[in-house]
Each structure stands twice: as C-alpha cells, then as structure tokens.
Amino acid sequence: MPFSTLPDVDGYHPLFDGASLAGWRAVPRIYGTVYPGGPSLLDYFDAHGLKRPVEPEAHPAHWFVEDGVLVGEQDAPGSGYGGYLVSEQAYGDFELVLEMRPDWPADTGVMLRRQRDSWEGFQVLVDHRPSGGIGGFFGNGLASFSAVPFAIDVARDASGAPTGLIADDPATSVEPVTEEKRARLSYAADVEDFLAAWRWDDWNELRIRCVGALPVISTWINGVQIAELDTATVVSPDYDAAAVLAVLGERGHLALEVHDNDEMFGEARWGKGAQCRWRNIRIKELGEARQ
C-alpha cells in the first residue's frame, strides 16, 4: 500500500514512510552552551576535568531503514559516537505517538522543540541502560535539568544475559533519582507501574503530549502515564524559563537520539553493536498551528 501523508481517523499524520528517511535528516552530536547565555559545554568539560568529545561532528550516527523499521546505531558500531535524526518540519502543540524497541544498553530519546542547527531542546528520555530514566525529561542546553520519576536497571540470568527490567537500586546507582528530580514533575509514576507496562525485548508505545509556549509535556508508555513536566515552572540551577522561551520559540523540530559514550558510563551507555528501533511514528497537531 503506498505511503500517505493524509491523517488517519484520529487525526494523526505519519512521519515515517517505512521505506526511507524522507522528512528527516541525520546530524552529528553538537554542543552549545550549558544554558542560554552560559558557558559552552566544552568549556564546562574542561573546568570540571572531563574528557572532551573528539571531533563529534565527524562521526554522525548511522540511521537506516530495515524491514519497515527505522534503525539508529553508533557510527561505526562500537565507536562511541552518536548523533540525531531530526525532522525537517517544526511543530508547536502536538501529540506524538511511536513504537520503540531499544537494545540493552541503548541510551536514546525523543527531543521536542529542538533547534534546527543547534542542540537546545527538551528531551523525553528513553535511557534503556543502567540507572536510566524512561519517560522522564532532560534539558539539552537548557541548564541540563533532570526531571525523572524513577530509574531502571536490568535483571540477568546465570550466564549474565539480561532478562528484563527492574528498579534501579539507589545504593548502587551510578545516577540515582533524587527527590529534587522527582519534585520537578507535576506527575510522577511509580516504577512498579512502569515495569508492569513495559514489554521486554518487544515493541513499546510512547505517547508524548506537548502543549504551550513553554510547554507542559506529558508522557505515556503503553497507555500508562509516566510523567508530566511544566517547563514554565521548572526549578533547577541556571534554568530561566524566559531565556528558554527566547531561545526555543513556540515551535521546534523533533529528533531521535543515538547517544555517544562517555567516561561516566562507557559501553554501559551504548553497548557495542546496540541499536534503537522505531516504527509507526505519527503526529497530531493541536489547536491552531503556531507560526
């Protein structure tokens, strides 16, 4: 059946044709300021004794279509270099629905209101890795705020193979969830509700609702609400809602992520040969389109 951009009965338009990257463009990971008007992230790395990424602009992620599925992986696999797949079109208020199937470990996510040629934007986390948050939020270039309801880890069998998600243990977590991170959310699901809904080694539906100039962003996994964030009221060091709105405006691009590896997690961030997979990506714009 030929690909159609016409809306379905619920008003959703498809964003992926199942055969090509039409409507999307692959870009490397780039770094700007830590927050609007703040220092560059690379200078921040230097000041905190962290290793800088090595020429990330020369190593974009690899995005391709296989058997009707959109696949993202590091370029080259195991290299540690990630990137983004960015929508050509920008959106204001919308509901986005997609299905995802990340390997373990694979630190991915969906960016909203992303700038076309710089890294600022709100990210819905799909951190399918140790101490990862799924359905929570992060501010790329927006003071790096973290707003997450819980963190996850993986159970393993006797041979060490991963067998399913479990709750992260705060006592051993590399990146524990704090009450401060949870308090930034206006809704935060319990980890057990998420674990009951998540399908291990299978497809999971992510629904995102984004409404407002400084949007309220809500997330659901397989119909279970996970988190809600009012970006106008975020309280986090160096986060300035007015400055964020001035940078992002009321419309922005969507982006899918392949994360790079770093000193904190190494291959626990993105395993060698790991992939993220996406399908049935569709969007419904809400209200009058923002110009």
Side-chain angles (χ1 to χ4, degrees):
M1 182 175 181
F3 176 67
S4 173
T5 59
L6 295 176
D8 64 17
V9 293
D10 294 320
Y12 286 87
H13 294 260
L15 295 182
F16 170 52
D17 64 13
S20 73
L21 301 182
W24 299 84
R25 63 189 185 99
V27 301
R29 292 183 67 86
I30 57 174
Y31 301 96
T33 59
V34 179
Y35 56 88
S40 77
L41 185 66
L42 296 181
D43 289 343
Y44 177 88
F45 285 168
D46 294 344
H48 289 78
L50 301 173
K51 184 179 179 180
R52 281 190 174 199
V54 180
E55 296 182 348
E57 66 278 2
H59 301 273
H62 181 211
W63 297 91
F64 59 97
V65 179
E66 184 175 70
D67 297 328
V69 173
L70 177 57
V71 182
E73 62 185 12
Q74 290 185 344
D75 186 20
S79 66
Y81 293 109
Y84 293 96
L85 192 69
V86 182
S87 68
E88 292 286 3
Q89 186 170 339
Y91 300 93
D93 295 351
F94 60 84
E95 285 194 1
L96 176 71
V97 181
L98 48 79
E99 292 177 81
M100 56 191 181
R101 189 170 182 168
D103 287 336
W104 180 274
D107 187 330
T108 181
V110 182
M111 288 193 68
L112 319 175
R113 301 279 175 92
R114 187 190 190 275
Q115 297 296 282
R116 177 179 171 84
D117 298 312
S118 61
W119 80 311
E120 295 91 354
F122 301 109
Q123 183 177 177
V124 174
L125 301 171
V126 186
D127 293 353
H128 197 244
R129 45 96 172 151
S131 303
I134 296 181
F137 308 95
F138 185 80
N140 287 50
L142 308 177
S144 298
F145 73 82
S146 180
V148 293
F150 51 76
I152 51 95
D153 202 347
V154 75
R156 296 183 182 275
D157 62 19
S159 70
T163 59
L165 297 187
I166 58 175
D168 189 37
D169 183 351
T172 58
S173 178
V174 177
E175 196 173 29
V177 172
T178 63
E179 285 306 311
E180 183 180 36
K181 293 177 182 179
R182 282 181 59 91
R184 294 185 181 118
L185 297 169
S186 50
Y187 179 82
D190 183 81
V191 65
E192 295 303 326
D193 292 333
F194 164 78
L195 293 173
W198 184 263
R199 305 178 188 119
W200 173 254
D201 196 23
D202 202 349
W203 290 98
N204 290 274
E205 182 188 84
L206 170 63
R207 179 161 69 96
I208 302 167
R209 182 179 175 90
C210 176
V211 177
L214 278 164
V216 174
I217 310 173
S218 308
T219 59
W220 293 259
I221 299 289
N222 297 329
V224 174
Q225 186 169 8
I226 301 300
E228 181 174 273
L229 176 73
D230 185 345
T231 65
T233 62
V234 169
V235 176
S236 187
D238 298 317
Y239 184 89
D240 181 326
V244 167
L245 179 58
V247 168
L248 298 186
E250 298 185 20
R251 296 177 64 84
H253 300 268
L254 307 173
L256 307 176
E257 179 189 35
V258 168
H259 210 294
D260 56 341
N261 292 349
D262 53 30
E263 288 186 298
M264 174 181 279
F265 283 97
E267 287 191 3
R269 174 84 71 180
W270 193 282
K272 187 174 182 179
Q275 296 178 330
C276 60
R277 301 169 191 85
W278 309 87
R279 70 182 187 186
N280 295 335
I281 307 171
R282 53 206 187 278
I283 195 166
K284 177 168 64 176
E285 296 191 79
L286 304 174
E288 295 184 6
R290 296 176 181 269
Q291 301 299 321

